[in-house]
Amino acid sequence: MTNFPPAPPSSPASQESNDLNLRKLVDTLSDHRWFIVSVTGLFLLGGYFHASSQPSIFQADALVQIETQSTSLALMESLGEQPPDNPTAAELEILQSRLVLGETADREDLAIRVEPRRLPLVGNFLVNHGINQDSIESFTPAFIREWLGWEENSNWHNPYAWAGESLRVARFDVPDENVGSEHVLRINEDGNFELLFEEELLLSGKVGETVQNEALGYRLFVSQAKAYPGTEFILKRTSSLNAIKDLKSRFEILPRGIESGVYELTLNGADRIKVQPTLDTLTGVFLTQNVQRHSEEAEKQIAFLNEQIPQVSDQLSNAEGMLNDYRAQRDSVDLTFETQNLLTRVVEVENQLSELAMREADLAERYRPSHPNYQTLLRQRGQLVAERDSLNAQVSELPETQQEVLRLTRDSQVNQQVYVQLLNQLQEMRLVKAGTVGNVRILDAAMLSPGTIAPRIPLITAVSGLMGALLAMMMVVVRLLLSRAIKTPEQLEELGLPVYATLPESGEQTGLTERIRPRRSKKAQEVFRGLLAISKPSEIAVEALRGLRTSLYFAMLESDNNRLMVTGASPGVGKSFVAANLAAVCAQAGQKVLLIDADMRRGHLHHAFHGKGVKGLSELLARRIDLEEAVRHSDLEGLDYVSRGSVPPNPSELLMQQSFHDFLEAMSLRYDLVIVDTPPILAVTDATVVGKLTGTSLMVVRFDCNPPGEIKAAKRRLENAGVRLKGGILNGVKKPTNSRHGYYGSYLYAYR
């Protein structure tokens, strides 16, 4: 049994017990574990349903290699041009360009969007679990099938597509104003179909045949249809730009290794059949354009050489003719040894200048003069021109005849070497064009990955459950931080209210409680039928009441009378439960006890004794019945009670009459203990009236329900009326998970 003396001044230890520490946090979370588990379970189910309701996404992958050197790059280096700094990066950008993606979208008809009409909300969920129309109809009761018209001879059609149904459209042309608009394609009997737009029939035809409406600008070819009659599909023709954007959003390039030049190409999509062919087409288009682009370089060089060779040939013929004519005129003039060496050097310089001139003509078509390649060529030409001027100065010092022969011989040899060089380059370019392979190779063709990559149902479900658990724990912690309700006896004692008992929450009491709605009342209230002290005398809450009985024995020795008021600051704190069961345990101890229900508005103590509320206190005070009729006997020997009576219009005035005072005086002489249950203090003034007539007053405080401010206000109201509270009773204390902590400082344990 428990006896709580007046509390000593608060200590630092008691203040620390009110602070949020790790132990208190863990205990609170453990106490609310079923709430956390419930919220987590709901989030798990919600996450699983959400993930299962998403369309399945499939993925195909391919492997390509982009080399840094190719035949065209080698050609550019042979011509003295600087190749691109990073050809691999350029190829990757080309791979993601509209040049490649656009041609892929056109070849695969990606601008045609076909979506099956699913059942709202749960359609994808059922389809992903393999539910088809046959299974739906087989599990549907016959009366529902008949009500929905699912009979064989019915004209009703199911517009929704289920598992295993598909539609393939090879061509779908629409007028420009309806590009991007949704059309409905409905499958009929025997492979026929109808195309509708805004409930208007546009086309009708048969699968495998092209149908068109030239007046409206529609043309449609359905290559394959696998669906039940009545199934509808959403058909839409998008713009080429939107098709390219959609393809690009589903396409990804991943490097394999560091600077290996090998890249993995992945493409995902909801259409399992089209993902792999689309990626195959994309890699094929990329390879083809790469070869063509490098072949174009050789074609440009061939065209340039074909244009230059005839001109050089004419120049060679003219030079040789002039040399022969001059020799004939001068009777075959020969060159000296020194002049021959000078001629050889002059010819070399002229050949180099001629080569640079051809390269400059080619570069001028592709680059500006400020380009680095162009600037390098100009610097080389400047050096050769300076050397040529120096050689010309030496030539000018020769005899006139030697100068003329050297000049004509130089022109002839230079043109001859240039002509031979051009012929060699032309043959080389033809070989290069014939053998062009580009710098891209497909190592692994596109292949569809097994299974799906999305939605990741286990991951989404786990994350949803984790979010639910975190949210539930956050709610518990926030409620703990924001709650200012009384949770420990020390908090009451700090308010100047000694705690006489701490009553734990009783699961057995819940079985005795039920909700009823009194007449002329909009709100239901909880009542208890039967007394816990009688039905479960060994319950730990009853043991706590026995401890309260012992404490009251000593507390009431100093009182003016044997009357006890049990009240509370607000409704729902359990004051009637405390009053009734305290009366029972006192009667079990051999005392003669009278329990009075002074709550004439909403009192329900008569339900605990399976009696009626009428013919009680209100009728007695109104002098409609006598004392013997008002006092009723219970099944427990020594315990009598007075019900509230009929609800009067003036309960407070009745309690203030002399008749109520005389009634209490008479009962004090007849009984060892008189317990009065009153209405809440802050709701009405009845408790202040009753408290003036009772020697001892106790306030019931509900665990984690009444805030300190409410207790202060109730205590102040009683004190202003001259009523001194003897102490408090902390009711409904929840047992923490860690049994070592008892009942939050009450030190009350079950002993069996």
Side-chain angles (χ1 to χ4, degrees):
M1 289 183 285
T2 306
N3 183 10
F4 287 101
S10 60
S11 62
S14 65
Q15 294 178 2
E16 291 178 1
S17 65
N18 296 328
D19 296 335
L20 180 62
N21 50 50
L22 182 60
R23 175 179 292 179
K24 186 175 182 181
L25 178 62
V26 172
D27 288 343
T28 302
L29 293 176
S30 182
D31 292 341
H32 294 82
R33 60 186 179 276
W34 293 117
F35 170 74
I36 297 174
V37 169
S38 300
V39 174
T40 303
L42 289 176
F43 271 74
L44 282 172
L45 293 176
Y48 177 77
F49 178 79
H50 172 74
S52 301
S53 299
Q54 302 302 311
S56 299
I57 303 298
F58 303 89
Q59 186 180 73
D61 60 85
L63 206 63
V64 300
Q65 180 185 14
I66 301 177
E67 299 175 342
T68 56
Q69 293 290 335
S70 67
T71 55
S72 62
L73 294 177
L75 169 64
M76 294 172 63
E77 291 181 351
S78 67
L79 296 176
E81 297 183 24
Q82 184 68 26
D85 295 336
N86 193 350
T88 301
E91 294 295 342
L92 293 178
E93 292 299 325
I94 293 173
L95 180 56
Q96 302 177 81
S97 65
R98 288 197 294 268
L99 171 67
V100 176
L101 299 181
E103 186 172 350
T104 303
D106 292 339
R107 291 187 183 183
E108 294 296 323
D109 295 323
L110 298 183
I112 301 175
R113 306 284 180 84
V114 180
E115 297 180 4
R117 173 168 288 180
R118 303 294 191 195
L119 194 68
L121 298 179
V122 297
N124 286 326
F125 179 83
L126 298 176
V127 170
N128 290 338
H129 287 77
I131 306 298
N132 54 35
Q133 184 167 325
D134 291 337
S135 59
I136 287 292
E137 294 182 358
S138 62
F139 285 105
T140 304
F143 72 93
I144 296 181
R145 292 202 305 270
E146 183 179 357
W147 177 66
L148 293 175
W150 290 6
E151 301 300 330
E152 295 182 358
N153 299 326
S154 174
N155 293 325
W156 181 87
H157 294 288
N158 181 7
Y160 303 112
W162 303 88
E165 300 183 69
S166 62
L167 179 72
R168 297 294 166 196
V169 178
R171 183 171 185 178
F172 182 45
D173 298 334
V174 301
D176 294 339
E177 61 270 15
N178 288 341
V179 172
S181 300
E182 292 186 352
H183 300 73
V184 176
L185 190 144
R186 180 182 299 152
I187 303 298
N188 295 328
E189 301 283 350
D190 301 326
N192 296 318
F193 63 84
E194 296 176 344
L195 181 68
L196 301 96
F197 179 66
E198 296 180 352
E199 303 298 330
E200 178 184 356
L201 179 63
L202 301 177
L203 297 172
S204 60
K206 192 175 182 64
V207 176
E209 299 178 357
T210 300
V211 292
Q212 60 182 354
N213 188 331
E214 295 182 356
L216 298 177
Y218 281 91
R219 178 173 294 182
L220 176 64
F221 179 75
V222 179
S223 59
Q224 181 185 358
K226 182 181 178 182
Y228 291 94
T231 304
E232 295 181 355
F233 294 85
I234 306 300
L235 198 58
K236 181 168 61 175
R237 176 83 186 193
T238 63
S239 64
S240 298
L241 183 59
N242 288 335
I244 294 173
K245 289 181 178 179
D246 176 69
L247 178 60
K248 188 174 183 179
S249 66
R250 299 186 288 115
F251 178 59
E252 188 175 5
I253 304 174
L254 302 173
R256 296 283 292 270
I258 301 176
E259 298 182 357
S260 63
V262 179
Y263 295 87
E264 181 181 6
L265 311 181
T266 61
L267 180 67
N268 59 68
D271 194 339
R272 185 178 185 275
I273 298 177
K274 295 197 67 174
V275 172
Q276 180 178 345
T278 301
L279 185 57
D280 260 331
T281 302
L282 192 150
T283 54
V285 170
F286 178 52
L287 178 62
T288 301
Q289 67 82 29
N290 181 266
V291 174
Q292 290 177 350
R293 185 159 45 85
H294 288 88
S295 178
E296 288 176 358
E297 296 289 338
E299 289 181 357
K300 291 180 180 179
Q301 294 293 332
I302 292 173
F304 175 74
L305 293 174
N306 287 330
E307 182 181 342
Q308 295 294 324
I309 287 176
Q311 300 177 10
V312 176
S313 177
D314 293 340
Q315 294 175 4
L316 176 60
S317 299
N318 294 334
E320 289 179 346
M322 295 175 65
L323 177 61
N324 293 332
D325 292 342
Y326 187 79
R327 284 181 180 273
Q329 293 175 6
R330 299 293 182 175
D331 295 329
S332 183
V333 178
D334 295 328
L335 298 176
T336 64
F337 180 76
E338 291 79 4
T339 304
Q340 186 68 39
N341 290 337
L342 186 59
L343 173 63
T344 302
R345 183 57 184 156
V346 169
V347 170
E348 291 179 357
V349 173
E350 290 292 344
N351 286 336
Q352 293 179 12
L353 286 173
S354 299
E355 183 180 351
L356 288 179
M358 290 187 293
R359 287 172 55 189
E360 182 179 4
D362 182 46
L363 289 177
E365 297 180 358
R366 292 182 292 174
Y367 304 121
R368 294 181 178 180
S370 59
H371 193 274
N373 292 345
Y374 208 116
Q375 291 294 320
T376 301
L377 185 143
L378 293 178
R379 286 194 296 270
Q380 293 176 358
R381 189 180 66 177
Q383 295 174 359
L384 292 175
V385 169
E387 185 176 357
R388 184 186 63 181
D389 294 341
S390 175
L391 293 174
N392 288 336
Q394 297 180 25
V395 170
S396 63
E397 296 178 357
L398 297 175
E400 181 180 356
T401 303
Q402 292 290 318
Q403 290 185 25
E404 187 65 22
V405 172
L406 186 146
R407 183 182 64 80
L408 295 175
T409 304
R410 178 198 62 188
D411 293 342
S412 176
Q413 291 183 3
V414 168
N415 288 328
Q416 184 178 8
Q417 290 185 10
V418 171
Y419 181 73
V420 172
Q421 184 180 4
L422 291 178
L423 290 178
N424 291 336
Q425 289 184 0
L426 178 61
Q427 187 64 26
E428 182 181 353
M429 288 300 101
R430 287 173 178 172
L431 293 174
V432 168
K433 179 182 178 182
T436 299
V437 294
N439 65 328
V440 172
R441 290 193 302 165
I442 299 178
L443 303 180
D444 292 336
M447 181 174 292
L448 187 68
S449 302
T452 61
I453 63 168
R456 299 181 180 179
I457 297 179
L459 178 61
I460 295 177
T461 304
V463 172
S464 299
L466 180 61
M467 291 177 60
L470 292 177
L471 179 62
M473 289 189 289
M474 188 180 299
M475 293 172 62
V476 172
V477 172
V478 170
R479 183 175 181 272
L480 176 64
L481 294 174
L482 297 180
S483 175
R484 296 298 180 186
I486 300 297
K487 294 182 180 179
T488 62
E490 288 80 2
Q491 290 177 279
L492 285 178
E493 293 172 353
E494 290 176 359
L495 299 176
L497 194 64
V499 178
Y500 275 74
T502 301
L503 307 183
E505 187 178 38
S506 174
E508 299 292 342
Q509 178 63 25
T510 306
L512 300 176
T513 304
E514 63 180 44
R515 294 181 65 85
I516 64 171
R517 178 176 293 179
R519 294 180 181 179
R520 300 178 183 178
S521 177
K522 297 181 180 179
K523 295 183 179 180
Q525 66 180 93
E526 291 185 350
V527 301
F528 53 96
R529 299 185 183 276
L531 298 177
L532 185 65
I534 298 176
S535 60
K536 296 290 181 179
S538 60
E539 176 72 17
I540 189 172
V542 179
E543 290 291 344
L545 287 171
R546 293 191 180 101
L548 174 61
R549 177 187 63 191
T550 304
S551 300
L552 285 175
Y553 173 77
F554 296 102
M556 297 183 69
L557 291 177
E558 302 176 358
S559 300
D560 298 336
N561 52 56
N562 61 349
R563 297 190 286 271
L564 169 66
M565 180 183 73
V566 179
T567 186
S570 59
V573 297
K575 55 181 181 55
S576 298
F577 162 77
V578 173
N581 285 277
L582 177 61
V585 297
C586 290
Q588 290 172 344
Q591 290 181 296
K592 193 174 182 180
V593 183
L594 176 66
L595 177 63
I596 302 174
D597 190 353
D599 186 356
M600 290 181 283
R601 293 174 177 83
R602 299 183 61 187
H604 52 81
L605 281 177
H606 55 279
H607 291 290
F609 301 96
H610 305 285
K612 296 183 179 180
V614 296
K615 294 185 179 181
L617 182 61
S618 62
E619 286 89 353
L620 176 65
L621 298 181
R623 304 183 186 279
R624 297 177 183 174
I625 59 175
D626 56 17
L627 185 61
E628 299 301 328
E629 191 176 359
V631 177
R632 305 178 190 178
H633 302 289
S634 70
D635 295 335
L636 180 61
E637 184 179 357
L639 176 59
D640 295 339
Y641 72 96
V642 176
S643 65
R644 73 181 185 201
S646 301
V647 179
N650 53 348
S652 300
E653 288 75 7
L654 288 177
L655 293 175
M656 295 177 66
Q657 292 180 2
Q658 183 63 32
S659 58
F660 181 61
H661 180 272
D662 296 340
F663 166 68
L664 292 180
E665 289 289 346
M667 295 301 102
S668 295
L669 298 175
R670 186 182 299 185
Y671 292 92
D672 299 326
L673 177 63
V674 178
I675 301 177
V676 184
D677 180 23
T678 69
I681 301 171
L682 298 179
V684 291
T685 61
D686 297 11
T688 59
V689 177
V690 175
K692 293 286 290 182
L693 302 177
T694 57
T696 306
S697 298
L698 295 179
M699 181 190 297
V700 179
V701 179
R702 188 75 180 184
F703 172 85
D704 201 17
C705 179
N706 295 115
E710 198 172 85
I711 304 303
K712 289 181 180 179
K715 186 170 177 288
R716 188 183 307 112
R717 175 171 293 187
L718 290 177
E719 291 175 350
N720 292 339
V723 180
R724 180 178 177 274
L725 279 174
K726 197 73 172 180
I729 301 172
L730 186 58
N731 184 34
V733 178
K734 295 180 181 179
K735 182 180 180 181
T737 303
N738 193 342
S739 59
R740 294 178 302 172
H741 300 159
Y743 277 97
Y744 289 97
S746 67
Y747 309 106
L748 180 62
Y749 298 86
Y751 185 75
R752 297 288 185 268

